[in-house]
Amino acid sequence: MTGDYRTPAQPPATAAGNLPLAVTTPNAARPAARATAPIPAGDAVDVLVDSHRRAVESTLASTTVSAGRLEILDERLMDLRRAYVVAPPVEMLGQLLRELDEVRLLASERQPAHVQVHLSEMIAVLATLIADALMKLGRLGQAQLWYGTARTAADDSGSWELRARVRVQAAMLPYYYGPLERAVSFTNEARLLNRYRPTATGAFAAAAAARAQARQGNAEAAGAAIKEAQQLFDRCRKVASESDDAWAFPLRRLLLYLSGAYTYLGDTTHARDAQAEALMLYPDRTGIDPALLHLEQAMCLIHERSVTEACQLAGQTYLKVPAAHRTEILGARAQDIIDVLPENVRSVRAVRELGEILALPASTT
């Protein structure tokens, strides 16, 4: 009713501790504030902030590897790379593993970013050489695992060129032992990483792709890769030819890969030219690479239907290689001479004699 005055309704009584939210009391409990470290005032703030900054910078700068020690590690790695070209794989395997163990221990400790990257690069190179030695010795499963480790280390380094180089090296295993599709995949990954830059790694990747594609029977792709390899190498010839170590890609290695590509393309004329030029660059003509070139000469003879001459050359090549270098990979390549022949030709005397040579224990040959 208008004008009727009523007092506001009082809130209903509630049990203690269950008051409505709108009702407060002077003594109502409040949430406890989260304890924080007291921040000093004035000059003390500068002292506190600077001390924390110095602690962080000290952590970032902390290292167990001095510049001098890195230089020594680089020198030792270069010595190993040069020794690897001529030393037997069994001998090199022990040296590489010892060096890798030292680098690994350093990498497991807190290092500045640039030092950590450098150590990852060293690990990638060492792991690749270990994988290569294992491949030569016929330890294919272990070689595959070590190539994987090398790729992981190269990826960790962040270097596109190192990532490409390791993938080219890893393509050797499937090139020689299959599957060829994986060899082509690795080399194409390396080519993509190189992006047509005029580098030795780019030339290496294209030459390896050409060799794998030729063996796969893809003549068109192999021909294009051969041209790419030659063009990239010509643009970086001086740099590519200066170093002569296991990690370099000098002219003689380019010719070795082109020899393989031409041989499997059936282009014996260009193959023989590449083989002759490459062999001239090996003064003593000993070791695995010259032997592989002679075996490709034998394969060219197979293409020309000179079976007896091909098998004799393969047998002589195998026997001339010092026992320490006469590894599984060399035997596998010599066996290829027999495997490409039709069954009805394998009974020829020269073919049987080559098979008998390859079947002998290394100590007796």
Side-chain angles (χ1 to χ4, degrees):
M1 182 183 302
T2 305
D4 186 16
Y5 175 81
R6 297 176 181 268
T7 57
Q10 298 296 318
T14 59
N18 192 26
L19 294 174
L21 292 178
V23 178
T24 60
T25 64
N27 297 323
R30 299 180 182 274
R34 185 163 59 93
T36 58
I39 301 296
D43 293 341
V45 173
D46 296 335
V47 173
L48 178 65
V49 171
D50 284 345
S51 68
H52 281 281
R53 178 184 55 77
R54 283 192 295 270
V56 171
E57 288 189 354
S58 177
T59 300
L60 292 173
S62 64
T63 178
T64 59
V65 187
S66 65
R69 191 171 185 187
L70 272 179
E71 185 177 346
I72 291 172
L73 289 173
D74 281 332
E75 290 171 357
R76 281 164 35 185
L77 179 56
M78 179 56 73
D79 289 342
L80 288 172
R81 285 163 51 171
R82 288 171 177 157
Y84 191 86
V85 176
V86 294
V90 170
E91 176 185 322
M92 290 304 306
L93 197 55
Q95 296 181 46
L96 291 166
L97 287 169
R98 284 193 295 273
E99 190 69 16
L100 178 64
D101 197 44
E102 180 171 345
V103 176
R104 180 191 61 81
L105 288 174
L106 295 173
S108 67
E109 300 171 354
R110 173 70 180 83
Q111 308 291 349
H114 72 281
V115 174
Q116 201 71 42
V117 165
H118 200 137
L119 295 173
S120 291
E121 291 171 347
M122 290 181 181
I123 291 173
V125 174
L126 289 165
T128 299
L129 295 178
I130 289 169
D132 188 75
L134 290 167
M135 179 187 68
K136 288 177 180 176
L137 295 170
R139 298 180 177 273
L140 307 185
Q142 291 175 316
Q144 185 174 12
L145 292 173
W146 275 98
Y147 277 127
T149 299
R151 296 206 316 273
T152 299
D155 291 347
D156 186 59
S157 76
S159 166
W160 65 264
E161 186 165 15
L162 183 60
R163 293 175 64 202
R165 177 60 66 97
V166 168
R167 280 159 173 77
V168 183
Q169 296 284 157
M172 289 186 189
L173 183 64
Y175 172 76
Y176 286 119
Y177 297 100
L180 278 173
E181 293 78 9
R182 186 174 298 163
V184 172
S185 177
F186 280 149
T187 56
N188 284 338
E189 283 182 36
R191 292 164 78 186
L192 286 172
L193 286 165
N194 188 70
R195 297 179 182 178
Y196 294 99
R197 298 178 179 93
T199 65
T201 295
F204 188 7
R211 188 173 71 161
Q213 289 162 340
R215 192 170 186 181
Q216 199 178 38
N218 192 340
E220 184 178 354
I226 287 172
K227 290 180 180 177
E228 180 184 329
Q230 291 172 325
Q231 290 171 354
L232 291 176
F233 190 86
D234 286 343
R235 292 170 64 190
C236 68
R237 175 184 288 266
K238 186 176 185 297
V239 176
S241 302
E242 279 179 354
S243 299
D244 186 15
D245 64 76
W247 205 253
F249 190 67
L251 177 59
R252 67 190 193 186
R253 289 199 71 194
L254 172 67
L255 292 167
L256 171 65
Y257 278 74
L258 295 183
S259 165
Y262 287 130
T263 297
Y264 279 102
L265 287 174
D267 185 350
T268 57
T269 299
H270 283 99
R272 289 188 183 285
D273 288 344
Q275 291 153 10
E277 186 178 355
L279 287 169
M280 290 296 291
L281 299 174
Y282 291 90
D284 54 5
R285 300 199 176 191
T286 61
I288 290 181
D289 283 0
L292 292 175
L293 287 163
H294 285 305
L295 291 175
E296 285 177 355
Q297 288 177 330
M299 191 65 77
C300 287
L301 290 169
I302 294 292
H303 287 307
E304 296 166 348
R305 301 182 183 278
S306 300
V307 174
T308 297
E309 189 178 351
C311 291
Q312 289 174 344
L313 175 59
Q316 292 167 4
T317 297
Y318 184 76
L319 292 173
K320 284 181 180 178
V321 175
H325 288 280
R326 201 181 303 136
T327 56
E328 292 294 328
I329 193 170
L330 194 63
R333 298 300 289 138
Q335 182 65 41
D336 286 343
I337 304 297
I338 298 174
D339 292 344
V340 298
L341 295 171
E343 287 291 341
N344 62 334
V345 179
R346 297 183 189 182
S347 59
V348 173
R349 180 179 178 180
V351 180
R352 289 187 286 104
E353 288 177 347
L354 175 58
E356 290 168 1
I357 289 172
L358 299 180
L360 291 172
S363 58
T364 62
T365 58

